[in-house]
Amino acid sequence: MRQDEIWDADTAGRYDTPGTGMFAPEILGPTVDRLAALAGDGRALEFAIGTGRVAVPLSGRGVPVTGIELSGPMIDRLRAKADEATIPVVVGDMATAVAPGAYALVYLVYNTISNLLTQAEQVACFRNAARHLLPGGRFVIELWVPELRKLPPGQQATVWQVEPGYIGLDTYDTLRQHVVSHHFRFDEGRQARLTRSPHRYVWPAELDLMAELAGFELESRHADWAGAEFTADSRSHVSVYRIPPDR
């Protein structure tokens, strides 16, 4: 599955859920608050800006936001909310595409670095972030923690969410650090709709090494955007990396 096949018009349409899901105020509010504080008076660049879930409210807070995005349908959804003058977007891959100017903050949310399916591409993403940052600038990544502790010997799948009309499960290839997320959506009928997306999972320690290779230092790591403590039981993390001011 190529990324441009996964992030098509259908996916872009289902991704936008104003007021609910990842767009719920209790999720989006702390995200925007933290990013606005980290950007300060500077400019922000969002890798994989998507439909503007985070960029639009962050821009509304007075932070100048530019985006990089591979999916044309995602950009089309964004353009229904903000024009090019308000939120410029460079079409391309977040590991290689270059946006004009220099930034105080680059951010990559909602597990999106795992869409890059090789370690080399993920390292290139860090280096691309460093390329765009001013001295002292920060790169923020939101990423899930692989749930391999749930895998008993011989089992390759974990169920990570069950709710009315939806089941989400992941199948793991532990040799290649690959996981495929399977999303089953159904009603009271006999048929279910399945969508899938491939990812490369990354442990926090591996992520820190990627950051070091790109010239970053780990500044902080929390379990969520509100600043909860990151522990061995945390299912995700928000990690803030910084380019040394004297680089």
Side-chain angles (χ1 to χ4, degrees):
M1 290 179 285
R2 299 198 315 266
Q3 294 296 329
D4 58 349
E5 295 174 333
I6 296 168
W7 308 108
D8 57 12
D10 180 63
T11 302
R14 286 187 289 103
Y15 181 82
D16 267 335
T17 57
T20 63
M22 292 302 294
F23 287 76
E26 63 270 20
I27 294 176
L28 192 52
T31 304
V32 174
D33 288 344
R34 184 78 188 283
L35 291 173
L38 289 170
D41 296 328
R43 303 168 63 207
L45 174 63
E46 180 171 359
F47 283 178
I49 194 171
T51 67
R53 179 182 71 93
V54 174
V56 170
L58 185 60
S59 175
R61 292 278 293 270
V63 178
V65 181
T66 297
I68 291 175
E69 175 57 51
L70 184 65
S71 167
M74 288 284 194
I75 297 172
D76 291 342
R77 300 285 297 195
L78 169 60
R79 284 291 160 255
K81 308 169 189 177
D83 61 22
E84 179 72 18
T86 304
I87 301 179
V89 176
V90 174
V91 180
D93 189 302
M94 58 185 165
T96 57
V98 177
Y103 300 84
L105 176 70
V106 177
Y107 64 95
L108 183 53
V109 299
Y110 199 23
N111 307 321
T112 312
I113 194 170
S114 69
N115 292 346
L116 299 170
L117 299 181
T118 68
Q119 186 184 70
E121 289 176 312
Q122 292 170 345
V123 171
C125 183
F126 270 93
R127 287 175 170 152
N128 199 28
R131 183 182 300 123
H132 285 91
L133 284 168
L134 295 163
R138 294 177 172 90
F139 183 31
V140 182
I141 292 183
E142 177 186 20
L143 186 61
W144 100 97
V145 177
E147 297 188 287
L148 296 189
R149 288 190 297 174
K150 291 184 176 181
L151 283 177
Q155 183 171 312
Q156 295 180 311
T158 64
V159 177
W160 52 271
Q161 187 171 341
V162 177
E163 60 185 43
Y166 176 79
I167 297 174
L169 64 88
D170 289 335
T171 54
Y172 284 84
D173 176 349
T174 56
L175 184 63
R176 298 190 299 158
Q177 286 186 217
H178 278 187
V179 59
V180 178
S181 294
H182 305 257
H183 308 273
F184 297 89
R185 295 176 174 87
F186 51 90
D187 54 24
E188 295 180 354
R190 298 176 59 189
Q191 302 297 317
R193 175 190 177 93
L194 168 64
T195 56
R196 297 177 298 161
S197 58
H199 306 272
R200 182 184 186 271
Y201 63 83
V202 191
W203 297 103
E206 183 186 5
L207 204 70
D208 293 347
L209 182 56
M210 293 180 183
E212 185 176 343
L213 291 173
F216 287 100
E217 299 172 347
L218 178 65
E219 184 173 74
S220 66
R221 173 170 289 134
H222 294 97
D224 58 25
W225 291 99
E229 181 184 2
F230 180 74
T231 71
D233 295 319
S234 298
R235 295 185 62 184
S236 63
H237 59 94
V238 175
S239 297
V240 180
Y241 298 98
R242 193 178 188 194
I243 291 290
D246 57 350
R247 71 165 184 178

